[in-house]
Amino acid sequence: MKLLRYYSDAGIRPGLKADDGTLRDLGEHIADLTGAELGHDTQAKLASLPLADLPIVQEGPRLAPCVGDVGKFLCIGLNYRDHAEEAGLAIPQHPILFLKANSAISGPNDPVVLPRGAQKTDWEVELGVVIGKTAKYIGIEDALDHVAGYCVVNDVSERSFQMDLSGQWTKGKSCDSFGPIGPWLVTPDEVPDPQQLALYCDVNGKRMQQGHSSTMIFSVAEIISHLSQLMTLHPGDLIATGTPPGVGMGQKPDPIYLRAGDTLRLGIDGLGEQQQHIVEDS
């Protein structure tokens, strides 16, 4: 299933993207798509609903973040070998972890807002993994059993905040609007192998990032297992698993950064596409 959340006059509603291309409302069957509602039992219940009984959502609504009330927003840095090389940084021996503030989360097509003082705002298409079952001290072989679904994440980054403000990555990753997620949360039955997904990002119509999850240094299962040794992962926690090469910071001979008026289009095979317009903060 492709689960989603959308804005209506009554607030955010849960829904799904049907195979016939329509958006269907799930509000009569589930309160919201949050950690508490993402378990395998709930997914089985939703999958069993007759499509004809689900109301069609009209007029192409604005999509909300595909998961509500995210617990932890965990991010893995330098997880593609060629991205680490373009950044001029050593290949990590263990997953590099940083946090992104939950207040950065936005819808997949909402504007990216340049914060005051921004000089080097960058794009990063990433495979997002949403936890569906509590995970603590789990092995790699069991890790994917704890996944509720997968989604597209844009780990937007202000490099001047990230690199120049005492080297704290979280500072450059957590500005408002810097965490678009969606358009939908795709359940694991539609993603049999998360290491077989192509990723891309276009800036103003030009392909800048093109990569494949098979080239991750640490697989999704390895990341989940590793993190579960450090902390308990709860349903609704979101993990961004790293970006392939082609970010603005790595462009040669000179870096390229986002400016107001630019547009982004990014996506992952089978997980949908995001589109964002870059605007100045008011």
Side-chain angles (χ1 to χ4, degrees), residues 75-267:
C75 302
I76 306 301
L78 302 178
N79 196 32
Y80 288 74
R81 182 175 297 272
D82 34 12
H83 173 53
E85 291 171 349
E86 76 174 350
L89 298 170
I91 303 301
Q93 298 301 305
H94 306 281
I96 294 174
L97 174 65
F98 62 92
L99 299 179
K100 201 173 181 86
N102 288 16
S103 55
I105 294 173
S106 60
N109 303 319
D110 290 345
V112 169
V113 181
L114 299 175
R116 294 178 184 177
Q119 303 173 32
K120 302 176 181 179
T121 303
D122 209 342
W123 57 86
E124 293 191 21
V125 60
E126 306 204 7
L127 171 61
V129 180
V130 177
I131 298 299
K133 183 170 68 172
T134 300
K136 186 173 179 65
Y137 300 134
I138 59 170
I140 295 171
E141 66 280 3
D142 298 321
L144 297 185
D145 293 338
H146 294 73
V147 173
Y150 303 91
C151 64
V152 181
V153 173
N154 188 359
D155 177 22
V156 185
S157 307
E158 172 49 44
R159 303 298 188 191
S160 62
F161 296 175
Q162 177 185 352
M163 303 297 186
D164 300 335
L165 299 183
S166 301
Q168 298 295 315
W169 284 18
T170 295
K171 293 179 181 179
K173 303 284 190 169
S174 294
C175 304
D176 295 348
S177 81
F178 273 25
I181 63 172
W184 17 86
L185 179 71
V186 181
T187 52
D189 57 295
E190 295 196 16
V191 187
D193 185 354
Q195 305 311 141
Q196 293 299 321
L197 300 172
L199 305 84
Y200 64 89
C201 178
D202 297 344
V203 181
N204 298 326
K206 181 180 179 181
R207 181 62 45 92
M208 302 300 286
Q209 283 190 281
Q210 190 160 341
H212 199 275
S213 62
S214 63
T215 65
M216 284 183 180
I217 298 169
F218 304 103
S219 70
V220 171
E222 289 172 323
I223 290 168
I224 294 171
S225 176
H226 177 76
L227 294 178
S228 79
Q229 314 305 314
L230 309 174
M231 68 191 78
T232 301
L233 301 176
H234 295 101
D237 286 352
L238 171 62
I239 305 168
T241 58
T243 197
V247 299
M249 181 176 64
Q251 299 301 310
K252 302 292 189 294
D254 299 306
I256 299 173
Y257 296 114
L258 295 170
R259 298 290 180 261
D262 289 345
T263 58
L264 295 174
R265 185 173 70 91
L266 56 147

Side-chain angles (χ1 to χ4, degrees), residues 4-9 11-16 23-27 32-33 55-58 60-66:
L4 58 92
R5 301 166 73 240
Y6 69 95
Y7 292 97
S8 72
D9 292 340
I12 294 178
R13 300 273 295 182
L16 63 80
L23 298 187
R24 303 282 178 146
D25 184 80
L26 291 173
D32 197 0
L33 295 171
I56 295 176
V57 180
Q58 303 290 348
R62 175 186 165 205
L63 295 179
C66 60

